[in-house]
Amino acid sequence: YWDGTNWQTDSITWLTVGTSDNFANWLSSASWIDGKYHRIWLRVTDKAGNKTVYNTESSVDIGNDNGYAVKFLYDASTPTSSVDYPVDSGNYDVKIQTYTGLCQETGPGTQAGASEVKIRIRRSDKNTNRWWQVDSWITSAYDNSTDLTGTAWDFDIVEKGGGNPAILDTFYENDEETYEIYTRGKDYAGNQETFKLVATFIYDVVKPTTSVSYPVNGNYYTSNEPTIIKGGFYDGYSGIDFVKVRISSGSYYWTGS
């Protein structure tokens, strides 16, 4: 219970409010506790001694949290949003249609809960139009809406763009591209984080190439040559993950040992 200065566990205090216009408007305050429900009981007395009690002034009722005039949740903590898919630093050769993630409260006790998540999507600087807006690329950042259920959000590129599947081709119009995802979460109390970079991923549908430099195609070898196979590779964007070879004598295949 607030005594005007501190919170007390066993002392109920009726506080006289302040006014500057003869109680046409009045004010009071307290040090609200993050993550807690707060309740306010009211009573008013005129100069003749007439008193109006709003619901109750009983210490028993107040002690049992009954008969309050106002109840509200104080939430001073900012939620945090994140991306689950596509994963940060991921490399993909498919056109991902739906991005997913979470928006979670970070404060103590009971929090208001996530109310919205906005998403910004940016592609590499080689493009003049770098920011995604609903169904096209534009020059400046745009706050796209997501669908939020509880703490889980999703952004369906096709659905948000009007339902035309061709929008996915517009989004992934470059065969090699880097995308950055920025999100901003907000809760029902109005606490809102700033946009932050939560994931960067690569879209790459250009096939890599490789070649054998030794042994030389068509040459003849004897004794213990060749003792090693050498080659090179090329990938202009996401990078080589691995190179495999298959070796055959015409009738048999080499297993590695």
Side-chain angles (χ1 to χ4, degrees), residues 178-198:
T178 299
Y179 296 92
E180 296 174 344
I181 301 175
Y182 300 78
T183 57
R184 184 189 68 193
K186 184 178 180 180
D187 66 19
Y188 283 104
N191 301 302
Q192 179 175 276
E193 64 179 343
T194 58
F195 272 101
K196 60 184 180 182
L197 176 63
V198 290

Side-chain angles (χ1 to χ4, degrees), residues 10 52 62 66 72 74 76 88 109 149 179 201 229 240 244:
D10 56 1
T52 299
I62 294 173
N66 294 323
F72 66 92
Y74 183 68
D88 186 30
T149 303
Y179 296 92
F201 71 94
I229 300 173
I240 297 296
K244 292 187 175 183

Side-chain angles (χ1 to χ4, degrees), residues 123-183:
R123 58 181 181 175
S124 61
D125 289 338
K126 67 183 179 182
N127 304 279
T128 301
N129 296 324
R130 294 190 293 271
W131 296 92
W132 184 251
Q133 179 190 36
V134 183
D135 59 2
S136 62
W137 293 102
I138 61 173
T139 57
S140 57
Y142 180 79
D143 303 348
N144 295 278
S145 297
T146 67
D147 293 320
L148 181 65
T149 303
T151 60
W153 64 264
D154 68 78
F155 177 73
D156 186 320
I157 296 171
V158 173
E159 186 268 329
K160 291 297 183 183
N164 184 357
I167 290 174
L168 209 58
D169 295 329
T170 301
F171 188 94
Y172 296 101
E173 63 185 2
N174 298 325
D175 290 342
E176 296 175 321
E177 189 59 86
T178 299
Y179 296 92
E180 296 174 344
I181 301 175
Y182 300 78
T183 57

